[in-house]
Amino acid sequence: MSKDRLIYLPLGGAGEIGMNAYVFGYGPPGKERLILVDMGVTFPDMDGAPGVDLILPDISWLAARVDRLEAIFITHAHEDHIGALALMWPQLGKKKVYARRFTATIGRLKLEEAGLPVDAVVTVEPRPATVTAGPFKVQFVPVSHSIPESSGLIIDTPAGRIVHSGDFKIDRTPVVGEGWDDAMWAGIAAEAPVKVLTCDSTNVFSNHPGRSEATLAEPLAKLISEAPGMFVATTFGSNVARLKTLAQAGRAADRSICVLGRSMKRMLAASEEAGVLNGFPRIVTPEEALEIPRRNLMLLVTGSQGERRAASAALSRGKYLGFEMRQGDSFLFSSRTIPGNERSVIHIWNAFSEMGVTVHDDTDGLYHVSGHANRPDLEHVHRTLLPDMLIPVHGEHRHLTEHVRIATEAGIAGMVATNGMMLNLTGDVPVVAERIETGRVYLDGSVQIGAMDGVVRDRIRMALNGHVLVTVILDEKDQPMGEPWVEIMGLTDRGRGDRLLNETLESDLADWMGRAGRKTLKDDGKMDEEIRKVVRQVTMEEIGKKPEVTVVVSRLIEE
Amino acid sequence: MSKDRLIYLPLGGAGEIGMNAYVFGYGPPGKERLILVDMGVTFPDMDGAPGVDLILPDISWLAARVDRLEAIFITHAHEDHIGALALMWPQLGKKKVYARRFTATIGRLKLEEAGLPVDAVVTVEPRPATVTAGPFKVQFVPVSHSIPESSGLIIDTPAGRIVHSGDFKIDRTPVVGEGWDDAMWAGIAAEAPVKVLTCDSTNVFSNHPGRSEATLAEPLAKLISEAPGMFVATTFGSNVARLKTLAQAGRAADRSICVLGRSMKRMLAASEEAGVLNGFPRIVTPEEALEIPRRNLMLLVTGSQGERRAASAALSRGKYLGFEMRQGDSFLFSSRTIPGNERSVIHIWNAFSEMGVTVHDDTDGLYHVSGHANRPDLEHVHRTLLPDMLIPVHGEHRHLTEHVRIATEAGIAGMVATNGMMLNLTGDVPVVAERIETGRVYLDGSVQIGAMDGVVRDRIRMALNGHVLVTVILDEKDQPMGEPWVEIMGLTDRGRGDRLLNETLESDLADWMGRAGRKTLKDDGKMDEEIRKVVRQVTMEEIGKKPEVTVVVSRLIEE
C-alpha cells in the first residue's frame, strides 16, 4: 500500500480576505510534489502598516522547498490572487505559471513591468484542456465573478479529485463570460467523485440568493438616462461586465463614454486583447469628451474605494484632466465599500455634496451586485458536488467557521484551516498534519521586509508618540562639550508656561549631565538609557506624552 | 424699527458627525448676546490624527467674545455633545452650564475629574421650567434618544421661537424616559409659531420609519434564553435603555447580570443618581459572577466599537478580570458600527470565532435600533412644527444637503450651514451673515494643539516615510570631525547588497562632505539642505523610499 499522501497548506487567504496562496501536495510525507494556487497581495492601512506599499504572504516555507514545486496556477486577475506574481515568482524557482487568457495577459503585464520574462506565463484553455504538473492534472473551469475569465480548478490527484472553487458566484446571466452551468458541474461530480472542495467563503453571511449582473441593467439605465448633467460612475476597474453594463446604459441615454484612470484602461485593454469585450461601446478620449455637452457625457472612473490617487478622489478635489464636477452632475458608486475604506469613500461623497453633485451608492441594492456566492448559493454548490470534505478558503476566521458549520449540517466533513495549517486529506476526513510558520511580508518602497521586523512598529510609535532626538558631544576626558541639543518631530514645541519644549529639555539634560558621575559619562549604553529616561519624564510633565527618543552620543577622540 | 438680529453659528457638528457646538445670538449686529448649545468632542483615528487623544472644535471666535456669552446649554450626555465640557469651559469665562439631571450628573463628574468647580453645572427641570439667558428664554423638552434624558431645546427670542431638536428619535415606547408626544409638540408649535428648526440630520438617508427600543425585547429574550453557555453583550455604555432591555432578558433567562467596563458602570451609577434606572435588575460583582455557572450568567461589557482598551477587546484577547470566553459562549454586538471602526470590530469578532464563540450583530435588525430619527420621522417633525426655516445640524455635508432637500420639498426654507457659516435668521429666510474661521483643536497628551500646526502632519510623514537622523560635527575651522553619524527609525536597516543602510548613508555623506566647498560647510542652512538631499537620494536608490530627515550640525567653538 502506498504511503503517499495528499496535503493542503494555505500560506495566505485562509483567515483573512486577501493575499491568497494555497499549496497542494501529493507524495511521500515530507517529499510531496507541490503546486501553488494563486499569488495574491493584500492592501495595507494606516492603522496596521503605515507607509507600506503592499502586503504579501510569507512564502519562505515554499521557497525553501522550491525543488518540489511543479507549477503555479492563477485562478483570476484580481490583485488578491495575482498581485504578488512579479514579487514572488523570482523566489519560487521561476516555475511555469498557468492561467486563462485574460488572467495571463494581466500576469504578463506584471512580469514585463518588473523586467521579468513574460513567457513564464502559459495560457491555458478551459476544461477539457488539462495541465499535468507532477502527480496533478489541472483543468480550468469557467466561473462567474466580477472580473473576466475567473476560474475554478479541477485538481485530479492519485488520491482523488479536488475542486478548488476560486472566487465565484452563481450567475446564469453574467453579461461577460459563461453563465453558471449546473449540468456541467453535475458532470464534473459524475465524472469522478469530489474528494475535497476548497471553496470561497466571502459571502457566507449573506442569507439571500445572489443576484445576477444582468439585474443591474434596468435600474442603471433608468438612473443614467434621468440624470440631468454629466454622469460619472466608478466601480472596480477589473469589473469589465459592470463597465459594459454602465457604458451600454450610457449610450442608450445618448451619452458618450470616456474612461479615466490607468487601471481601468489597462483592464479594458486586456479584455480587448483576450477577446472578452464584445459589444463594448466606443470610448472617446478625454480631449473629445471635453467638447461634449454634459448631458451627453458619461465618465467611467477608477477609485471606488476612495483611493487618494484615483480619478474619483481627484475629481472630488477639483479639476482633473480638464474635468470638473458641477451642480446638477451625478456620481455613482457602482460598488461595495470594503470594510476599512468607509471614511475615504464618505469623504469623497461629502466633497461631491459640497459641489452640488448628486451621489448614489449601493444602499438600495439597485446599482451593485456582489461577485461572490451567498450562503444559499454555497449550499447549492455543496449539493451539486457532494464532496467528502469541505475546506473553506477566502475568508476571515468567522467566515471559515460559518462555512464549515453549514457544510457539517449537510453531512460534509469540514475543517477550518488557517494560514500555516497543513492538512492531510488522504483519508475520509481532514487531519491536521503540521503547523508551518507563516506570516506577512511588506513591500516597502523597493524592499521586502518581515511584518515582525519592528520597522513598522517603530513607525506607528513615532506616529503615536512623536520623536525626540538628543545629541550630546563629549570631549576626550568624557566631559560634555556645550549643552545637549534637542530636536523634536511630531510634538508641539510649546511646553508649560512660555518656554519652548526643546529648551526645557536641553536645560534639564544639561543639569542632569552636570550631576552625572564619571562612570555614567564614560558609558554609552548608560548615557543612552538615562537620557531617554530624563526626556520621557520631562516631556510627560510638560505636555503629557512619552515620546520615542533617539540619543546620539559623539565622543571626540585624541588624534 | 429694531436693528437687532437673530444669528446662528455652528462651531462644530455642522458638516460632520461629532464635536457639536452651536452658537445662537440676538442683538445689534456684532454685539449680539450669545448662548452656546453643546460642547462636544470627536474621536481621532490613525489616518487623520495619530496619537491624538480627542478632537475639539476651535472656539477661539467665542472665547474672544466671551463677555457676550450668557450661558451654555447641554442637550444630552453623549461625548459628542458634552465631551469637551471640562476642556472648553475654562476658556469660556466659566459661564453657567444648564442641563437636565442625568446630563448634569455626568457634566459634574467631568468637571470634578478636571479639578474644576462642579457648581458651574445647574440642573434644569424639563419644560415648562425656563432658563432666562439675556434675550433668550430656554426650555428643555424631553426627547427619546439612546441615552437618558436627551433633550430638545425651545429657544424663545424677541425675533421668534427656535426649536433645536437635539439628538432624537420618534419612539413612543422608549423603555427609559418619556415617549414621543405628538400632542405636546403640536402644543409647542401652537403656543408660538416656530421660526427656525435646527434639526438632527444623522439618519436622513434611512428611508424606513424608525423602530422603537421596545421592539428589541422579544428577539433579545429569545436569543439570550436559547444561548447554551455564557452570554456576553456589548452596547454603548450610555445606552441605559438597551442595558435594561438586555439585563431584563438575561434575568428572564435565569441569568445573573454582571457589568464590566468603567464607562458603563459610571453611566449606570449616574442613571441611578438621576433616578432614571427603575426596574433595572440586581447586578452581581465580577467575584460573585465567577462562581455562577456559565449557563446562568450574562455579562454586559463596554467596547461596542472595538476600542482596544475596553472589555470586549480585552475578552477577545484572553482572560479579563478572571473571565474567559469559551466554545459554546455567545457574544452580541447590540450596536451599530460607526464608520471607520469596522476593522476593529471585525477583529474582535474573528478572535471570538477562533475561541468557538458564536457572535451576533445587528445585521438582521433584530438586536439594535438607532437613536436617531429616520427620514419619515424627520418629515413627521417638519409637518408637526411647520417651521419657517429649517437648518440641518448633526450631519456630514451629504446629510445636511439631503435634509434641506426634503425640507424644501415640504415648502420650508432650508439652508446648509457648515461650521463657521454665520446665518442671519431675522427675516423669513436664512441669509449668510459672515464666515468665521473655525477648525479643530487636538487634545494631545495634556496640551491643546491646532489641527493645522503641523505637528500631526509630521507624525503622519514619519509613519509613512520613516525618519533618518544625521549628526555631523565640524571643528573651529569648519572641517568635519570624523564621519557623519546616521540613525534610522522606521526604515529597514538592510539596503541593496549586504551593506547596512546607515553605513551606506554615512559613507556617501562623508564623500559628499569631502567634496563640499568651504562656503557650504560654513553655512548651517546650506548643510542641512544638502545633507537632506543626499540622504533622500541615497535612500531612494537603496530601498525606494524618501524618508523624513533631521540634520544636526554641531560646531566646536574655540573656548
Side-chain angles (χ1 to χ4, degrees):
Chain A
M1 236 175 101
S2 162
K3 278 161 63 193
D4 291 346
R5 64 178 188 174
L6 175 64
I7 58 167
Y8 160 76
L9 170 63
L11 296 175
E16 67 196 331
I17 295 181
M19 60 173 218
N20 295 278
Y22 306 101
V23 175
F24 294 89
Y26 185 81
K31 291 179 180 161
E32 298 88 354
R33 302 303 298 172
L34 308 171
I35 59 171
L36 173 63
V37 174
D38 289 338
M39 303 169 97
V41 295
T42 198
F43 296 97
D45 60 18
M46 187 73 184
D47 280 287
V52 165
D53 296 285
L54 284 175
I55 302 176
L56 336 175
D58 177 352
I59 52 162
S60 1
W61 184 88
L62 192 57
R65 289 157 183 81
V66 79
D67 54 310
R68 287 164 50 194
L69 180 62
E70 296 282 353
I72 298 162
F73 299 85
I74 308 282
T75 59
H76 64 287
H78 275 153
E79 289 297 302
D80 58 335
H81 294 262
I82 200 175
L85 172 60
L87 296 158
M88 281 165 47
W89 183 79
Q91 299 167 51
L92 291 180
K94 306 185 176 182
K95 296 297 157 79
K96 287 283 178 229
V97 178
Y98 297 93
R100 286 178 67 197
R101 189 170 311 273
F102 176 82
T103 312
T105 307
I106 299 290
R108 285 188 200 105
L109 276 172
K110 287 187 182 289
L111 292 178
E112 192 176 12
E113 277 179 8
L116 297 169
V118 296
D119 60 2
V121 177
V122 181
T123 300
V124 184
E125 293 303 314
R127 168 184 153 90
T130 304
V131 178
T132 300
F136 299 98
K137 291 188 193 311
V138 181
Q139 302 178 334
F140 285 78
V141 189
V143 292
S144 292
H145 185 42
S146 45
I147 191 168
E149 298 195 340
S150 197
S151 300
L153 300 177
I154 298 173
I155 306 172
D156 282 318
T157 78
R161 170 163 283 190
I162 299 168
V163 173
H164 180 78
S165 75
D167 289 11
F168 80 105
K169 68 183 291 188
I170 293 188
D171 193 336
R172 296 180 168 89
T173 51
V175 180
V176 164
E178 302 87 343
W180 179 265
D181 183 345
D182 272 315
M184 181 193 66
W185 284 101
I188 287 168
E191 206 173 76
V194 177
K195 184 174 180 66
V196 182
L197 170 61
T198 47
C199 190
D200 183 358
S201 309
T202 316
N203 279 7
V204 69
F205 288 111
S206 299
N207 293 325
H208 54 90
R211 288 176 302 137
S212 168
E213 186 68 28
T215 61
L216 300 179
E218 205 180 301
L220 282 175
K222 186 168 175 333
L223 181 73
I224 293 166
S225 70
E226 288 175 1
M230 182 163 71
F231 196 96
V232 184
T234 184
T235 187
F236 272 104
S238 55
N239 195 339
V240 172
R242 184 68 46 79
L243 292 174
K244 185 170 162 184
T245 306
L246 287 165
Q248 287 178 335
R251 287 303 301 135
D254 259 338
R255 294 177 186 270
S256 296
I257 312 300
C258 178
V259 175
L260 304 184
R262 211 175 65 97
S263 67
M264 198 174 270
K265 282 189 196 159
R266 175 184 173 136
M267 281 294 170
L268 287 173
S271 307
E272 192 107 41
E273 197 179 324
V276 296
L277 201 64
N278 335 331
F280 202 92
R282 190 178 87 84
I283 290 168
V284 301
T285 66
E287 295 70 30
E288 289 169 326
L290 286 167
E291 303 299 317
I292 295 169
R294 301 178 92 73
R295 175 63 194 82
N296 298 111
L297 186 59
M298 172 159 169
L299 308 182
L300 298 174
V301 303
T302 51
S304 68
Q305 300 303 309
E307 300 91 331
R308 262 192 64 74
R309 278 180 278 190
S312 297
L315 284 169
S316 81
R317 287 191 295 265
K319 221 165 186 169
Y320 177 64
L321 298 177
F323 296 96
E324 205 163 5
M325 302 291 283
R326 278 197 214 145
Q327 177 86 33
D329 291 343
S330 298
F331 189 93
L332 168 66
F333 288 98
S334 183
S335 51
R336 171 180 165 261
T337 303
I338 294 173
N341 298 338
E342 289 79 3
R343 290 200 193 206
S344 310
V345 168
I346 288 174
H347 188 76
I348 290 177
W349 185 332
N350 281 314
F352 284 140
S353 175
E354 288 182 35
M355 298 174 184
V357 172
T358 306
V359 177
H360 305 273
D361 73 352
D362 69 333
T363 305
D364 299 322
L366 291 174
Y367 310 127
H368 175 67
V369 294
S370 169
H372 295 275
N374 289 358
R375 182 192 306 236
D377 307 322
L378 294 171
E379 289 169 337
H380 177 76
V381 173
H382 298 175
R383 281 192 303 270
T384 305
L385 295 181
L386 292 173
D388 296 337
M389 296 178 241
L390 175 117
I391 311 297
V393 302
H394 209 282
E396 300 164 7
H397 198 283
R398 61 195 180 117
H399 300 105
L400 306 184
T401 306
E402 183 69 7
H403 201 166
V404 164
R405 201 185 62 71
I406 66 172
T408 308
E409 277 183 2
I412 301 165
M415 184 177 264
V416 172
T418 50
N419 296 341
M421 267 176 73
M422 184 195 289
L423 298 185
N424 182 342
L425 303 174
T426 323
D428 294 331
V429 295
V431 176
V432 178
E434 204 177 331
R435 284 176 196 270
I436 302 306
E437 217 170 287
T438 53
R440 297 175 155 214
V441 168
Y442 296 148
L443 177 70
D444 187 49
S446 55
V447 295
Q448 294 183 23
I449 59 180
M452 295 309 191
D453 285 3
V455 168
V456 164
R457 183 201 58 204
D458 283 349
R459 283 185 201 164
I460 292 173
R461 285 184 180 168
M462 288 191 291
L464 295 176
N465 309 323
H467 196 185
V468 171
L469 328 169
V470 181
T471 61
V472 297
I473 306 176
L474 300 172
D475 67 14
E476 298 87 337
K477 301 188 184 81
D478 302 318
Q479 288 306 302
M481 299 184 66
E483 290 207 340
W485 183 266
V486 172
E487 295 270 347
I488 284 170
M489 190 152 178
L491 291 169
T492 180
D493 54 4
R494 287 168 296 126
R496 285 184 306 183
D498 290 338
R499 213 151 162 214
L500 290 176
L501 176 60
N502 62 337
E503 289 176 3
T504 306
L505 283 167
E506 281 164 3
S507 78
D508 286 9
L509 283 169
D511 289 351
W512 173 81
M513 284 179 68
R515 290 192 312 270
R518 190 158 249 285
K519 240 168 102 178
T520 303
L521 293 174
K522 276 172 93 82
D523 181 343
D524 281 5
K526 193 89 185 146
M527 287 277 286
D528 188 277
E529 188 186 317
E530 293 289 325
I531 288 174
R532 269 166 206 279
K533 210 188 283 173
V534 173
V535 169
R536 290 167 75 94
Q537 191 186 319
V538 173
T539 310
M540 190 69 202
E541 280 163 19
E542 289 285 317
I543 62 169
K545 296 197 67 112
K546 285 196 176 167
E548 302 307 300
V549 185
T550 297
V551 180
V552 177
V553 178
S554 306
R555 291 176 189 278
L556 296 194
I557 304 163
E558 292 190 71
E559 304 194 7
Chain B
M1 235 175 103
S2 161
K3 279 163 60 191
D4 291 346
R5 63 178 190 176
L6 174 64
I7 58 167
Y8 160 76
L9 171 63
L11 295 176
E16 67 196 329
I17 294 181
M19 60 173 216
N20 295 277
Y22 305 100
V23 175
F24 294 88
Y26 183 81
K31 291 178 181 164
E32 296 88 355
R33 302 303 298 173
L34 308 171
I35 58 171
L36 173 63
V37 174
D38 289 339
M39 303 169 94
V41 295
T42 199
F43 296 98
D45 60 17
M46 187 72 183
D47 281 285
V52 166
D53 296 285
L54 285 175
I55 301 176
L56 335 176
D58 178 350
I59 52 161
S60 3
W61 184 88
L62 192 57
R65 288 157 184 81
V66 80
D67 54 311
R68 287 164 50 195
L69 181 62
E70 296 283 352
I72 298 162
F73 298 85
I74 308 281
T75 59
H76 64 287
H78 275 152
E79 289 297 303
D80 58 336
H81 294 262
I82 199 175
L85 173 60
L87 295 159
M88 280 167 46
W89 182 78
Q91 300 167 50
L92 291 180
K94 306 184 176 181
K95 295 297 156 81
K96 287 286 178 226
V97 178
Y98 297 93
R100 286 178 68 197
R101 190 170 309 275
F102 176 82
T103 311
T105 307
I106 300 291
R108 285 189 199 105
L109 276 171
K110 288 189 180 287
L111 292 178
E112 193 177 10
E113 278 179 6
L116 297 169
V118 296
D119 59 1
V121 177
V122 181
T123 301
V124 184
E125 293 303 314
R127 169 183 153 90
T130 304
V131 178
T132 300
F136 299 98
K137 291 187 194 313
V138 181
Q139 302 178 331
F140 286 78
V141 189
V143 293
S144 293
H145 184 44
S146 46
I147 190 167
E149 298 195 339
S150 197
S151 300
L153 300 177
I154 298 173
I155 306 173
D156 283 317
T157 79
R161 170 163 282 190
I162 299 168
V163 173
H164 180 78
S165 76
D167 289 12
F168 79 105
K169 68 183 290 190
I170 293 187
D171 192 337
R172 295 180 169 88
T173 52
V175 179
V176 164
E178 301 88 343
W180 178 264
D181 183 345
D182 272 315
M184 181 193 66
W185 284 101
I188 287 169
E191 208 173 74
V194 177
K195 184 173 181 66
V196 182
L197 170 62
T198 47
C199 190
D200 182 358
S201 310
T202 316
N203 278 7
V204 69
F205 288 111
S206 299
N207 293 325
H208 54 89
R211 289 175 304 137
S212 168
E213 186 69 29
T215 61
L216 300 179
E218 206 180 301
L220 283 174
K222 186 167 177 326
L223 181 73
I224 294 167
S225 70
E226 287 174 0
M230 183 164 70
F231 196 96
V232 184
T234 185
T235 187
F236 272 104
S238 55
N239 196 338
V240 172
R242 184 69 46 79
L243 292 174
K244 186 170 162 183
T245 306
L246 287 164
Q248 287 179 335
R251 287 304 300 138
D254 260 338
R255 293 178 186 269
S256 296
I257 313 300
C258 178
V259 175
L260 304 184
R262 211 175 64 98
S263 67
M264 197 174 271
K265 281 187 195 159
R266 175 184 173 136
M267 281 294 170
L268 287 172
S271 306
E272 192 106 41
E273 198 180 323
V276 296
L277 201 64
N278 335 329
F280 202 94
R282 191 177 86 82
I283 290 168
V284 301
T285 65
E287 295 71 29
E288 290 170 326
L290 287 168
E291 303 299 317
I292 296 169
R294 301 178 92 72
R295 175 63 193 81
N296 298 111
L297 186 59
M298 171 159 169
L299 307 182
L300 298 174
V301 304
T302 51
S304 67
Q305 300 303 310
E307 300 92 331
R308 261 192 63 75
R309 278 179 279 190
S312 296
L315 284 169
S316 80
R317 288 192 293 266
K319 222 167 186 166
Y320 177 64
L321 298 177
F323 296 96
E324 205 164 6
M325 302 291 283
R326 279 198 213 143
Q327 177 86 32
D329 291 342
S330 298
F331 189 94
L332 168 66
F333 288 98
S334 183
S335 51
R336 171 179 165 260
T337 304
I338 293 172
N341 297 337
E342 289 80 3
R343 290 200 192 206
S344 310
V345 167
I346 288 173
H347 188 77
I348 290 176
W349 185 333
N350 281 313
F352 283 140
S353 175
E354 288 182 36
M355 298 174 183
V357 172
T358 305
V359 178
H360 306 273
D361 72 353
D362 69 332
T363 305
D364 299 322
L366 291 174
Y367 309 127
H368 176 67
V369 293
S370 170
H372 294 275
N374 289 357
R375 182 193 305 238
D377 308 322
L378 293 171
E379 288 169 337
H380 178 76
V381 173
H382 298 176
R383 280 193 302 270
T384 305
L385 295 180
L386 293 171
D388 296 337
M389 296 178 240
L390 176 118
I391 310 297
V393 302
H394 208 282
E396 300 164 6
H397 198 284
R398 61 195 181 118
H399 300 105
L400 306 184
T401 307
E402 183 69 6
H403 201 166
V404 163
R405 201 185 62 72
I406 65 172
T408 307
E409 278 183 1
I412 302 165
M415 183 177 262
V416 172
T418 50
N419 297 341
M421 266 176 74
M422 184 195 289
L423 297 186
N424 182 343
L425 303 174
T426 322
D428 294 331
V429 295
V431 176
V432 178
E434 204 178 330
R435 285 177 195 268
I436 302 304
E437 217 170 285
T438 54
R440 297 175 155 212
V441 169
Y442 296 148
L443 178 70
D444 187 49
S446 56
V447 295
Q448 294 183 22
I449 57 180
M452 295 308 192
D453 284 3
V455 168
V456 165
R457 183 202 56 203
D458 283 349
R459 284 187 199 162
I460 292 173
R461 286 185 179 168
M462 287 191 290
L464 295 177
N465 309 324
H467 196 184
V468 171
L469 327 169
V470 181
T471 62
V472 297
I473 305 177
L474 300 172
D475 67 14
E476 297 87 337
K477 301 190 184 81
D478 301 318
Q479 288 307 304
M481 299 184 68
E483 290 206 341
W485 182 266
V486 173
E487 295 270 346
I488 284 171
M489 191 152 179
L491 291 170
T492 180
D493 54 4
R494 287 167 296 125
R496 285 184 306 183
D498 290 338
R499 211 149 165 219
L500 291 176
L501 177 59
N502 62 335
E503 288 176 5
T504 306
L505 283 167
E506 281 163 2
S507 77
D508 285 9
L509 283 169
D511 289 352
W512 172 81
M513 283 178 67
R515 290 194 311 271
R518 192 158 247 281
K519 237 169 104 179
T520 302
L521 293 174
K522 275 173 94 82
D523 179 343
D524 280 5
K526 193 91 189 147
M527 287 278 286
D528 188 277
E529 188 187 318
E530 293 289 325
I531 289 175
R532 271 166 205 278
K533 209 187 284 174
V534 173
V535 169
R536 290 167 74 93
Q537 191 187 319
V538 172
T539 310
M540 190 69 202
E541 280 164 18
E542 289 286 316
I543 62 170
K545 295 197 68 109
K546 285 197 176 168
E548 301 307 300
V549 185
T550 297
V551 180
V552 177
V553 178
S554 305
R555 293 177 187 276
L556 296 193
I557 305 164
E558 291 190 71
E559 306 198 7

